[in-house]
Amino acid sequence: MKAFLGVFVSVVLGSTFCFVFWVVISHEYQWSDIAPYKGNFVSGWWTTLLISAIALVGSIVIGALLTSGQLSPWSAPRVLSRTFVEIIRGTPLLTQILIGYYLVAPAIGWDSRFGVGVLILSCFAGAYLSEIFRGGIESIPSTQWLSARAIGFTDAQTYRFVVIPQAIRRVLPASAGQFANLIKDSSLLFVISVHEFTMQAREVNANTYATFEAYLPLIFGYFVLTFPISLISRHLEKRFSYEH
Amino acid sequence: MSIETHGLRKQYDSTVALSDVSVSVGDDVQVLALIGPSGGGKSTFLRLIGGLERPCSGSVSVDGKTLPDGERALLEWRKRNGFLFQAFNLFPHLTAEENVILPLVEVHEISREEATAGAREVLSRFGLGDHLAKQPGQLSGGQQQRVALARAIAHRPRWLLLDEPTSALDPEMKAEVLDLIDELRQNGQRIILSTHEMGFARRAADHVVFLSGGRKLEEGNAERLFTSPETAEVRSFLQKVMKW
Ligand SMILES: Nc1ncnc2c1ncn2[C@@H]1O[C@H](COP(=O)(O)OP(=O)(O)O)[C@@H](O)[C@H]1O
Ligand SMILES: [Mg+2]
């Protein structure tokens, strides 16, 4: 049964993959149409890389803050963090970007598409991360807390030496997925005219009408950004691994 | 009096775990055993003596000192004891050695070199010299419990509190852990343990407290309590558990 399932999955995935690959490859492309726009792609890719890198760090910081808010013994930070997370997760990113840039930022006199874009992405991904972090921390069994208390650890020491190191291992796969989403979500910043990768592809398309040639580079460009995250996450999973 | 409680009461929501338990244990008692049916209140009693929880009412005093109120003072109280639970109390992400070293360094503020030397000495004495670098998941249940025991005594606690230390183990492993506990006893370690090993309790304990339904039914010299229990419930309990 197991072997049959293995063969079945391999055949289905393998043939689907080959088919799609063949269809994509065998299309007649007019690469010469977009050749003059090479520089646009390169600068767009770098912008996406920069946005993603800063927002990735930002989302971890915001995620950690929201998690500690949600786990706080006081009710005010708990309620506020919870509300923030629910609103961010329950509404479209597109709308958040529009409201953030056209309503909130001007009200505080901030006019940086790039800065506002990065901050909103950080908040958006941070809200999702905080739920992943919270789940990881709450999944550490209460017996670990009891042992730590019995040893004489304070709550802070228990988090630092016992809970967080074990939780990291558990939240890595889901966090890596969230980081890949963050990179792809950065393409929505086109609504406030941040010239990131996807925006550049749109413009090339508008100028050349070479739709596939304009958008196909996105596949490689985004994959080159997301795949290393996957690799690093797997490496870290091994490093933090332990047997149960 | 080395251990004295007055009208000790502990309630969890609607469950009364201990009610009106008063015991007085003389200075001549080196090993105190808590026995009785499951749910009788043994673990709760140990957690209260060890300062892991506060009683709802009543008082605890150990070696003439009264169990304090504040979290800071309770932390100091816990540091003076060594605690061993039924199972699952090692930190799974740390090696055997690091499980023993960590509290010495972080709680007892011993230098890392000294702590490492101490940890190795205790673990070797417990027959774990070849397993220093293994994580708990790579050790047998008996070995894990011996590491946990090493961690509980490495800082030379005044009282060693053992909560059913062998209940989760196979017979062979039970014996190896009980042997170690007995060895500690012979070296003068003062111990309070809850156990279902009546043979061990009878041989090793000086004083026995029988808890059932959250109440103390009897207490007294171990030999006396085992040979001629005063209450019918204690008699029938002992008959049942000693039958096989
Ligand atoms: N943390 C807790 N929350 C709720 N009920 C508890 C808790 N700890 C113990 N109890 C209850 O208190 C009673 C005594 O439990 P315990 O002290 O564990 O007994 P024993 O160790 O003798 O088996 C039981 O009814 C148990 O269900
Ligand atoms: Mg118990």
Side-chain angles (χ1 to χ4, degrees):
Chain A
M1 185 61 206
K2 232 183 188 169
F4 171 76
L5 209 61
V7 170
F8 180 74
V9 169
S10 308
V11 167
V12 169
L13 283 181
S15 51
T16 309
F17 182 76
C18 290
F19 176 71
V20 172
F21 191 70
W22 177 75
V23 168
V24 171
I25 287 271
S26 59
H27 182 77
E28 300 249 328
Y29 294 102
Q30 302 298 320
W31 292 114
S32 53
D33 288 359
I34 64 153
Y37 298 94
K38 196 176 145 227
N40 298 40
F41 284 109
V42 172
S43 92
W45 186 85
W46 278 109
T47 307
T48 292
L49 173 63
L50 195 62
I51 291 171
S52 304
I54 303 174
L56 193 146
V57 175
S59 70
I60 294 174
V61 172
I62 291 172
L65 285 174
L66 288 171
T67 306
S68 51
Q70 292 201 58
L71 296 173
S72 162
W74 298 291
S75 72
R78 264 206 318 269
V79 171
L80 288 172
S81 310
R82 190 79 236 145
T83 309
F84 185 86
V85 168
E86 292 298 345
I87 290 173
I88 295 278
R89 295 205 316 164
T91 59
L93 176 57
L94 196 73
T95 322
Q96 293 167 17
I97 297 170
L98 286 172
I99 291 178
Y101 183 68
Y102 289 112
L103 299 182
V104 180
I108 58 168
W110 189 21
D111 183 25
S112 159
R113 294 167 197 281
F114 186 89
V116 173
V118 165
L119 181 62
I120 292 173
L121 271 183
S122 303
C123 289
F124 186 74
Y128 280 90
L129 279 181
S130 82
E131 287 295 273
I132 296 172
F133 294 169
R134 187 173 63 88
I137 286 173
E138 287 176 347
S139 76
I140 304 303
S142 63
T143 48
Q144 290 285 301
W145 277 94
L146 189 64
S147 306
R149 278 165 62 80
I151 280 170
F153 276 166
T154 60
D155 283 357
Q157 286 175 317
T158 306
Y159 274 115
R160 177 170 162 207
F161 297 114
V162 180
V163 174
I164 292 176
Q166 291 181 60
I168 284 180
R169 168 71 180 77
R170 300 187 184 197
V171 305
L172 268 171
S175 302
Q178 185 53 48
F179 294 144
N181 281 341
L182 164 70
I183 293 172
K184 291 182 287 175
D185 286 343
S186 70
S187 64
L188 281 177
L189 293 180
F190 81 86
V191 290
I192 55 170
S193 306
V194 174
H195 280 72
E196 44 66 53
F197 202 26
T198 305
M199 173 102 185
Q200 297 286 7
R202 279 167 174 272
E203 288 186 357
V204 172
N205 178 39
N207 292 337
T208 61
Y209 299 107
T211 307
F212 291 123
E213 291 79 357
Y215 284 112
L216 212 61
L218 296 184
I219 293 184
F220 303 101
Y222 279 105
F223 192 70
V224 166
L225 294 177
T226 55
F227 190 57
I229 290 188
S230 214
L231 290 181
I232 293 170
S233 154
R234 269 159 207 264
H235 171 76
L236 289 176
E237 268 177 60
K238 272 204 202 103
R239 226 195 88 196
F240 283 97
S241 77
Y242 56 86
E243 286 181 46
H244 293 274
Chain B
M1 287 290 145
S2 61
I3 294 172
E4 235 178 325
T5 70
H6 281 293
L8 210 51
R9 178 184 176 82
K10 182 72 187 180
Q11 192 167 344
Y12 300 100
D13 299 323
S14 60
T15 317
V16 179
L18 278 183
S19 119
D20 196 24
V21 173
S22 303
V23 302
S24 60
V25 174
D27 286 321
D28 52 330
V29 171
Q30 189 201 336
V31 178
L32 167 66
L34 309 169
I35 62 169
S38 290
K42 303 182 291 298
S43 300
T44 306
F45 187 82
L46 276 172
R47 287 198 297 268
L48 292 176
I49 299 282
L52 285 174
E53 286 172 9
R54 294 273 319 152
C56 299
S57 61
S59 69
V60 172
S61 84
V62 174
D63 296 333
K65 291 200 184 70
T66 307
L67 184 72
D69 263 321
E71 187 56 29
R72 278 257 138 239
L74 273 176
L75 202 63
E76 290 305 316
W77 182 279
R78 286 180 215 137
K79 287 186 195 175
R80 288 198 291 265
N81 303 318
F83 231 113
L84 178 68
F85 303 95
Q86 187 172 327
F88 313 116
N89 63 159
L90 289 175
F91 301 135
H93 61 300
L94 301 177
T95 62
E97 184 181 47
E98 196 57 35
N99 262 283
V100 182
I101 295 173
L102 187 65
L104 292 177
V105 173
E106 298 299 335
V107 176
H108 301 284
E109 294 170 357
I110 295 169
S111 76
R112 188 153 263 279
E113 299 78 68
E114 213 178 312
T116 307
R120 289 193 179 158
E121 189 268 315
V122 181
L123 286 167
S124 307
R125 183 146 59 86
F126 284 13
L128 296 157
D130 294 335
H131 306 293
L132 298 177
K134 288 188 185 160
Q135 290 179 337
Q138 301 166 313
L139 298 171
S140 74
Q143 289 169 333
Q144 288 183 35
Q145 206 60 337
R146 282 186 282 152
V147 175
L149 191 58
R151 184 174 73 182
I153 62 140
H155 60 287
R156 304 179 195 288
R158 297 208 193 145
W159 286 94
L160 179 60
L161 308 177
L162 311 170
D163 192 3
E164 296 193 27
T166 59
S167 290
L169 302 178
D170 298 340
E172 200 181 333
M173 298 173 174
K174 265 193 210 318
E176 64 189 35
V177 172
L178 289 177
D179 281 345
L180 273 187
I181 296 172
D182 198 48
E183 207 178 297
L184 293 171
R185 178 187 69 83
Q186 284 165 23
N187 291 335
Q189 176 67 53
R190 293 193 292 172
I191 298 170
I192 309 174
L193 85 160
S194 78
T195 186
H196 288 294
E197 304 296 327
M198 293 305 149
F200 185 78
R202 184 173 186 165
R203 199 160 59 87
D206 306 305
H207 195 86
V208 175
V209 171
F210 188 99
L211 293 171
S212 173
R215 296 183 169 276
K216 182 190 80 177
L217 290 192
E218 248 184 76
E219 75 172 306
N221 173 276
E223 200 47 46
R224 200 280 301 151
L225 194 139
F226 278 105
T227 45
S228 50
E230 283 161 2
T231 57
E233 188 182 337
V234 177
R235 193 175 313 127
S236 93
F237 175 84
L238 288 176
Q239 265 165 12
K240 247 187 277 171
V241 296
M242 305 286 253
K243 187 172 173 193
W244 300 107

